[in-house]
Amino acid sequence: EGGDENKKGTEEDELLAFPLDRVVWLPQLDAEQYQAMLTHGDAMIDPFPFGGGVTTLEGLGVCLPVVTAPSLQTVPALAAGMVESLTVPWTLRKRLVAANADDLVKKTVALLTDRALNTKVRRELCDSFSRPPKKKKRAIGGVFNDTQSIKEWQNVLARLARSADLR
């Protein structure tokens, strides 16, 4: 028991020592302000227990590294699936998908403190938009321009129209 109390005290001490002046709460932003804020960010943390969804795509769309911890999510495959769909080396994907909260902190701190790493990750993200997807794998650029998804939706909607006689 004593060990747990010491650990808890240490965690509380860490929280109290956190430089709160580095946390900035922003008012609601218009689309242009939000886009500018994203492009100036160093990293994005996928929130939990509810993930970022569209916000994750917006971050990836401006080559912003997004770190996610699927085990902490209510919809674990959402952001992790987006990251896994990147046509980047698996070592880069491993830098963005965390196993737990401690790993999320570790990966985020690495992106925030290691300029060379951050630059490399951002470059790989940007390059992935023009890289063709591997066999049966969609590129993140494909998330935004995914002709396979469009065809799948056309098929679903056509079947719906036929079965409901909506033509």
Side-chain angles (χ1 to χ4, degrees), residues 1 13 17 37 50 54 64 68 70 83 85 90 95 97 100 102-103 108 110 124-125 131 133 138 145 157 160-161:
E1 287 182 317
D13 291 342
M37 191 248 341
F50 305 104
V54 171
L64 183 64
T68 184
V83 170
S85 73
W90 71 270
R95 292 189 181 281
V97 179
N100 52 44
D102 289 338
D103 196 30
T108 303
E124 284 286 345
L125 289 172
R131 195 174 297 133
R138 297 174 179 165
N145 302 300
L157 293 173
L160 176 65

Side-chain angles (χ1 to χ4, degrees), residues 25-146:
W25 294 100
L26 300 173
Q28 185 171 350
L29 305 174
D30 65 33
E32 188 175 304
Q33 292 169 321
Y34 177 69
Q35 188 74 15
M37 191 248 341
L38 283 178
T39 59
H40 287 86
D42 290 318
M44 177 186 285
I45 301 172
D46 187 33
F48 55 85
F50 305 104
V54 171
T55 305
T56 298
L57 287 173
E58 291 168 335
L60 292 171
V62 296
C63 309
L64 183 64
V66 179
V67 182
T68 184
S71 66
L72 303 174
Q73 299 288 337
T74 55
V75 183
L78 188 61
M82 294 173 196
V83 170
E84 290 297 324
S85 73
L86 297 168
T87 54
V88 295
W90 71 270
T91 52
L92 185 131
R93 291 193 304 270
K94 278 183 59 172
R95 292 189 181 281
L96 301 178
V97 179
N100 52 44
D102 289 338
D103 196 30
L104 181 83
V105 169
K106 180 181 172 185
K107 290 176 186 307
T108 303
V109 167
L111 286 165
L112 295 176
T113 58
D114 185 337
R115 259 304 134 211
L117 173 64
N118 189 289
T119 300
K120 178 182 177 182
V121 170
R122 293 179 81 106
R123 187 174 304 120
E124 284 286 345
L125 289 172
C126 286
D127 290 349
S128 76
F129 295 135
S130 59
R131 195 174 297 133
K134 294 185 166 97
K135 189 177 180 181
K136 293 194 175 192
K137 185 172 184 178
R138 297 174 179 165
I140 193 68
V143 170
F144 301 110
N145 302 300
D146 187 350

